[in-house]
Amino acid sequence: MAEKRVYEAWKGSNKFLFGGRLIFGPDARSLLVTLLLIIVPVIIFCVFVARHLRHQFSSYNAGYAILVVAVLFNIYVLILLFLTSSRDPGVIPRNLHPPEEEFRYDSSVSVDIGGRQTPSLQFPRTKEVMVNGHPVRVKYCDTCMLYRPPRCSHCSICNNCVERFDHHCPWVGQCIGLRNYRYFFLFVSSATILCIYVFSISAFYIKVLMDHYNGTVWRAMKESPASVVLMGYCFISLWFVGGLTGFHLYLIGTNQTTYENFRYRADNRVNVYNRGCLNNFLEVFCTKVKPSRNNFRAFVQEEVPRPPPPVISRDPEPDHGGDPRSKVEDDLDIGEDLLKISQRRNIEEIDEEIRSRGSNGAPHNISEVDSVLGSDRRAPTIRSEARHSSEGRTGSWEIAPEALANSNVTESRNYFAAKEVRQKLGGSF
């Protein structure tokens, strides 16, 4: 059986391409819409606006720079979009087991396990860590089975814990976190500059048409409706990408994330991560991007079984409700005793009959009686087999059919052996 790689056994909702080299969010299809919203307007701009401005400057070929800048800047925006959406945003690998060092035993709360009182296993849901000299409370993630580092949050869409989680952006189809926030901001701000550039050149082309035809603005708009459409489109887009750029400039300057700003805005908490406006910008743009904690192309290692945490047991207390296992064993003991009593009763009747009829066939019949007694010596095996079969099943205390069959065979043998002895005794007289 071929070994699986990490990305093939990944428990999150991510999508991987090219053998785990690229990682996207589950809503990666929305990335196609974003690509169309960027590429299509630029194509329209190059064909219907920039192409007509190639020779509108004193230097005859200076107008080509407008076309080249539009194409190159569009490629730059697409590269930033690719770096934002196709790389690990800072996903923290999941644990296979909860951290055992955090287990605690509460002796005041006990649980019945196998008829014994054991202390209840407690697991703290939060704990405090120190950040810049201030205590910060971190939470335990049940899905990833780890305590989230400071500024980490679990994305419900990607189903991963992400370091310095900012938000999940559906337009790029990826979480925005520690490792791609820089590229996300550059993408948004570059898209804003591209909108301003296309809007400005389209307005300039309308002015050129007005001068060329010595007409009004309406005449120029009729001559180039594409310029009007591009100006309207860029104006609307600026409200989104331009507003987003300004908002993230504020977040970077105060060293906040979108998640922290929306969640803790009304709490008036002290921002322990704020290091000053300049240092905050240097932290985002001038620090080295940390390597990914995940090697998605590595082979999955087999899980090593770990022993369960030790459980301290107390002295057994009287069980008023009754333990299923002890009850089954008691029933087996009672059934065995009844079987022995019935066997002994049959043997006593045979012994009395022998004594009443005489001692002529005693030696011969005593051996046969011993053979009956020999079957009584085999009776304890019923108990052991029945116990073994009942203990072999987890959570089930039914008596195995083999044990019941053995007990029935033993009783039938005893009955026929006693009957045969009686017939022989009757034939001897």
Side-chain angles (χ1 to χ4, degrees), residues 29-66:
R29 292 183 178 179
S30 61
L31 187 61
L32 299 176
V33 178
T34 305
L35 291 174
L36 292 176
L37 292 176
I38 296 174
I39 296 176
V40 172
V42 173
I43 293 176
I44 295 175
F45 172 78
C46 293
V47 173
F48 295 99
V49 177
R51 184 171 62 90
H52 299 291
L53 294 174
R54 292 174 296 175
H55 310 299
Q56 296 297 327
F57 298 93
S58 56
S59 179
Y60 187 75
N61 294 324
Y64 280 98
I66 297 175

Side-chain angles (χ1 to χ4, degrees), residues 352-363:
E352 290 179 359
E353 189 173 355
I354 293 173
R355 292 178 181 176
S356 63
R357 296 191 179 186
S359 59
N360 294 332

